[in-house]
Amino acid sequence: MSRQIALGADVGGTKIAIVAVDLLDGSVLMRDEIPTLRQRGGQDTLDRFKTLISKMHSQLQAQDIQPVGLGIGVPELIDNAGTIKSNWNFDWDERDIVSELSNFGPVQLESDVRAVALTEAEFGHGRTYPSFIFVNVGSGLSYCFCNDGKIHRGANGYAIHFGSSDLMTLCSACGVPSSFNLEALASGRGLSETYQARTGQYIETRELTREDATRQEKELLDQAAHALASYLGQLINIFDPHALIIGGGLGRSQPFFSMLQNHTRPYIWAKDCQDIPITTSTFPNDGTAIGAALLLRKRTVDP
């Protein structure tokens, strides 16, 4: 197969990163990024994204390289037809993104967690573990199950959420019901909002993970990690994977990751599964963008 270069983009809640990727080995030839600034709205995000793509296209063409297409990972629901079906970050679900970017060649859309899981399957932990659950702990929470190199999408393409909906709990003594939303506590955005609700002060999530955090900050971080760990244990119970991979800015940070490791194992029901490998992503930065570029590979493989 001749050398093929595709563009891959990670359009996240905080930043937009774009890379030029060699589809044969996943190596990154070129990289750039800009802040997302999602508060300005979806059209502004799209306009600045187009400028970013155009800039990299020009740089590649100056080297006599013509990208074969563009793959985009977004933190939204993507159905099995490749259409955005949610607007948690911006209103791209109301736009024909593929058509608006068609000048850059074939365009493929994918949920960001599935894109990074594809990169792990091809070039990371997938080479060691036949199956794994990838959990992304960033601004929000999402997961992906991979088995024998195949990404599980679900009947509609929505198999990425495990902590976004409320769960109902019931007091066994008095029967009083209450609800709990994991993402509202244990995601990056949830932690900041919870801290502000408790103290009246805003704090960036990364500040909660610093070594000299206050006792109150450490307690909140541990509460969030413990709550998330109880869900991770149930994911392991349901899928019985060979490994659990944690990604995302918050998920990979210390001491949050160590807390997850310690708190998760008691929630794994089968005793002989409690020593399952729990590790961080092989790709701390551009896993989503690389995986998005790999979506173009099926269009470029020689017959």
Side-chain angles (χ1 to χ4, degrees), residues 12-299:
T14 303
K15 65 177 175 63
I16 301 174
I18 187 168
V19 296
V21 177
D22 188 321
L23 297 182
L24 181 61
D25 59 12
S27 59
V28 174
L29 282 67
M30 194 176 294
R31 184 187 190 280
D32 202 355
E33 73 171 60
I34 57 174
T36 303
L37 304 178
R38 60 186 180 84
Q39 68 274 14
R40 296 185 182 179
Q43 186 61 55
D44 179 84
T45 301
L46 182 58
D47 291 342
R48 291 184 302 107
F49 183 34
K50 288 179 180 178
T51 301
L52 186 67
I53 302 168
S54 296
K55 176 183 175 183
M56 185 162 289
H57 251 271
S58 298
Q59 291 173 331
L60 289 170
Q61 289 172 342
Q63 299 179 32
D64 200 26
I65 299 174
Q66 180 61 44
V68 298
L70 169 67
I72 308 170
V74 293
E76 306 286 356
L77 291 173
I78 304 291
D79 67 13
N80 284 331
T83 304
I84 300 176
K85 290 294 186 178
S86 65
N87 55 11
W88 192 67
N89 285 278
F90 28 75
D91 62 351
W92 281 15
D93 61 319
E94 300 176 4
R95 305 170 188 274
D96 189 346
I97 298 297
V98 172
S99 294
E100 294 205 44
L101 298 175
S102 60
N103 289 340
F104 301 109
V107 178
Q108 294 280 304
L109 292 166
E110 184 57 279
S111 294
D112 57 356
V113 68
R114 282 200 291 255
V116 66
L118 176 60
T119 308
E120 284 289 354
E122 293 283 343
F123 304 116
H125 290 299
R127 294 182 170 184
T128 302
Y129 305 114
S131 69
F132 61 84
I133 296 171
F134 188 97
V135 174
N136 198 63
V137 189
S139 297
L141 300 173
S142 55
Y143 88 98
C144 181
F145 177 59
C146 181
N147 187 34
D148 289 334
K150 297 180 180 178
I151 303 297
H152 175 67
R153 301 184 57 87
N156 301 290
Y158 303 153
I160 65 170
H161 286 292
F162 69 100
S164 300
S165 300
D166 289 353
L167 288 185
M168 192 274 284
T169 60
L170 193 71
C171 176
S172 58
C174 65
V176 174
S178 61
S179 62
F180 173 70
N181 187 288
L182 179 66
E183 195 167 59
L185 171 65
S187 66
R189 192 180 302 179
L191 268 170
S192 289
E193 292 175 352
T194 299
Y195 184 86
Q196 188 168 23
R198 291 185 183 184
T199 67
Q201 298 176 342
Y202 176 79
I203 190 172
E204 293 284 348
T205 302
R206 63 177 177 270
E207 294 297 313
L208 297 172
T209 64
R210 68 187 192 279
E211 291 185 7
D212 62 343
T214 67
R215 180 182 60 81
Q216 184 180 29
E217 292 166 351
K218 291 178 179 178
E219 285 180 354
L220 174 58
L221 192 69
D222 187 70
Q223 288 172 358
H226 202 155
L228 175 55
S230 70
Y231 280 64
L232 298 181
Q234 299 314 310
L235 283 177
I236 293 169
N237 293 337
I238 292 168
F239 288 102
D240 189 21
H242 290 85
L244 172 65
I245 314 300
I246 305 295
L250 176 59
R252 295 191 312 271
S253 67
Q254 295 289 349
F256 194 75
F257 174 70
S258 294
M259 293 175 180
L260 286 180
Q261 282 184 308
N262 294 332
H263 288 315
T264 297
R265 299 188 191 281
Y267 290 99
I268 301 172
W269 184 255
K271 298 296 184 183
D272 54 350
C273 293
Q274 289 182 347
D275 61 349
I276 181 174
I278 301 176
T279 186
T280 55
S281 173
T282 313
F283 301 90
N285 296 313
D286 294 322
T288 295
I290 294 170
L294 294 178
L295 299 172
L296 276 296
R297 188 165 54 185
K298 64 183 179 182
R299 293 177 175 268

